[in-house]
Amino acid sequence: MLRAGFGKADITVFEPGVVLLGWAEPDNASNGAGDDLACRAVALQDDDHVLVYACAELAFITTSLRDRVMDLLELAGATLASSALMLTATHNHSGPSGYSHRLMYNLLEQGFRPRVLDGLAEGIAASVMQALAALEPAVVEVS
């Protein structure tokens, strides 16, 4: 039997002066959050497997972010294998930067921002946990 569940959580993280990611403009710093950012997740489960697909309104997913999400899921008691979680991004350039441990992605931001990484990871993990908790019998059709 196939089961499906859906989740959505806020990933808006505002930190004054954080550069908007992807503009390559060091002066393009945020001065507030006009619209909230979200992460949406869908979980699918059959008798033997679970797969979760999550899409965040960010420029991209970094290794640092994925690792932190997996840590939070483990702390929350989710028994989700790393291979069962697909994290993607909408390629939104109006989200925060500073959530990578790689120098190249933090050059314009002037460094890594732990609060940004943690805030994004907490929201993404929350959407995944909601999707897992909402699993119920489902029918999937392709047309």
Side-chain angles (χ1 to χ4, degrees):
M1 174 190 355
L2 181 67
R3 295 165 32 109
F6 300 88
K8 178 182 176 185
D10 183 73
I11 60 168
T12 306
V13 180
F14 173 68
E15 189 169 330
V18 169
V19 174
L20 300 178
L21 187 57
W23 288 94
E25 295 286 337
D27 295 332
N28 194 10
S30 61
N31 58 12
D35 294 315
D36 290 341
L37 300 175
C39 180
R40 292 164 179 82
V42 58
L44 299 172
Q45 180 184 42
D46 66 11
D47 294 333
D48 300 319
H49 303 91
V50 174
L51 173 68
V52 179
Y53 171 82
C55 186
E57 293 176 336
L58 296 171
F60 48 78
I61 302 298
T62 65
T63 304
S64 307
L65 183 56
R66 181 180 174 76
D67 290 347
R68 184 71 179 123
V69 168
M70 290 305 298
D71 290 345
L72 291 172
L73 291 172
E74 183 179 339
L75 285 171
T79 56
L80 190 65
S82 179
S83 62
L85 176 62
M86 179 185 293
L87 291 182
T88 63
T90 61
H91 200 78
N92 179 355
H93 286 274
S94 295
S97 60
Y99 61 94
S100 175
H101 286 111
R102 305 238 182 232
L103 175 65
M104 180 67 177
Y105 295 116
N106 293 332
L107 282 175
L108 293 175
E109 175 46 51
Q110 301 174 350
F112 172 68
R113 302 282 183 126
R115 188 171 127 7
V116 172
L117 175 70
D118 288 342
L120 295 174
E122 288 165 7
I124 293 169
S127 72
V128 170
M129 291 301 291
Q130 286 175 17
L132 290 169
L135 284 167
E136 61 182 47
V139 175
V140 175
E141 294 180 356
V142 177
S143 62

